[in-house]
């Protein structure tokens, strides 16, 4: 087994294990948002949003993009979208079968 791959994958799953970060990623699935928009939509403190985005940027799960004078955030690539979709589909399937 490739230990480096395991360690890096563990880091991603640890990041996804945080409700605030996961909520931000889910929000970014369909649209790009500025920090201010994320704050308003999720009713979070600016410092919390900035901190979570910093961690997500460092893990290359989101990327900032300049839009004139604004900076908007988006998912880094389609792999992040696929990871979120598969995880949420799994949970939805499990919840449906628990009923």
């Amino acid at each position: 087994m490739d230990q480096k791959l395991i360690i890096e994958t563990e880091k991603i799953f640890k990041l996804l294990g945080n409700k605030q970060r996961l909520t931000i990623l889910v929000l970014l699935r369909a649209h790009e948002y500025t920090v201010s928009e994320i704050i308003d939509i999720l009713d979070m403190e600016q410092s919390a949003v900035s901190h979570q985005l910093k961690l997500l940027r460092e893990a290359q799960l989101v990327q900032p993009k300049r839009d004139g004078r604004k900076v908007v955030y988006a998912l880094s690539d389609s792999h992040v979208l696929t990871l979120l979709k598969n995880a949420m589909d799994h949970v939805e399937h499990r919840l449906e079968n628990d009923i």
Side-chain angles (χ1 to χ4, degrees), residues 25-72:
L25 290 172
V26 168
L27 179 66
L28 294 174
R29 287 185 312 174
H31 194 274
E32 298 176 347
Y33 290 101
T34 65
V35 173
S36 296
E37 291 169 328
I38 295 170
I39 290 166
D40 291 342
I41 293 167
L42 300 181
D43 193 30
M44 291 172 59
E45 295 292 325
Q46 186 274 331
S47 60
V49 171
S50 294
H51 176 70
Q52 300 307 338
L53 285 170
K54 176 182 180 278
L55 295 174
L56 293 170
R57 265 193 334 267
E58 289 172 351
Q60 297 178 355
L61 294 173
V62 300
Q63 62 184 5
K65 297 180 188 178
R66 285 247 172 240
D67 181 16
R69 295 179 58 182
K70 297 185 292 185
V71 176
V72 294

Side-chain angles (χ1 to χ4, degrees), residues 6 8-18 61 83 87:
I6 296 293
E8 292 303 312
T9 303
E10 176 189 28
K11 289 178 186 177
I12 298 297
F13 280 109
K14 282 183 178 180
L15 284 168
L16 294 176
N18 175 278
L61 294 173
L83 179 63

